[in-house]
Amino acid sequence: MTAHRLVLLVAGACLTVLTLMLLVMPSAAMGRVLVDFRGHGLHQGDVPVLGVWAIGVGALAWGWRRGWG
């Protein structure tokens, strides 16, 4: 594994951990509930967080496949 691929893996892990930290914020800070799952739910503030995560991980995967790693 090259150093570039290691950097891409670390960036993906950091992005995922930061996203999870935002998703477990208290529900009052994230707005109203859009979908309820037995006491847990998808809040209005979770949607942009998940969107940024998907774009970031997609860009990292694209870079991996393009040979940046």
Side-chain angles (χ1 to χ4, degrees):
M1 176 176 299
T2 65
H4 291 104
R5 286 201 174 189
L6 184 60
V7 168
L8 289 175
L9 284 174
V10 170
C14 289
L15 181 63
T16 299
V17 168
L18 291 174
T19 299
L20 289 174
M21 288 172 63
L22 285 173
L23 291 177
V24 298
M25 284 179 64
S27 59
M30 296 305 281
R32 67 183 184 90
V33 176
L34 300 176
V35 179
D36 189 22
F37 303 106
R38 299 180 185 161
H40 302 284
L42 179 67
H43 292 84
Q44 190 174 9
D46 294 339
V47 175
V49 170
L50 291 172
V52 168
W53 175 82
I55 290 170
V57 170
L60 291 171
W62 181 76
W64 184 284
R65 292 190 48 98
R66 291 268 304 175
W68 289 351

